[in-house]
Amino acid sequence: MEEIAEPREFIKDLLPYGGAVNIRGEIVWRITKEVHEAMKTRVLSLFENDD
């Protein structure tokens, strides 16, 4: 078995905010930091008035 010359990057490192890959490991879509923050803010706002 050959050693890999370059270290492979893990998908979790390539998609820190989420996304999807196809069966070959190619990135299909990704969530940016801005979109992630907007989604997080929206979800948290749903629970603001929850007493």
Side-chain angles (χ1 to χ4, degrees), residues 12-51:
K12 68 178 183 172
D13 296 330
L14 296 173
L15 301 172
Y17 299 103
V21 295
N22 63 18
I23 196 166
R24 293 181 290 278
E26 301 164 338
I27 296 173
V28 178
W29 57 269
R30 70 177 75 209
I31 297 176
T32 63
K33 182 178 182 178
E34 293 79 18
V35 171
H36 177 266
E37 292 297 324
M39 290 188 315
K40 183 178 171 183
T41 302
R42 183 168 184 260
V43 169
L44 291 176
S45 73
L46 297 172
F47 297 99
E48 283 181 356
N49 295 328
D50 192 27
D51 291 323

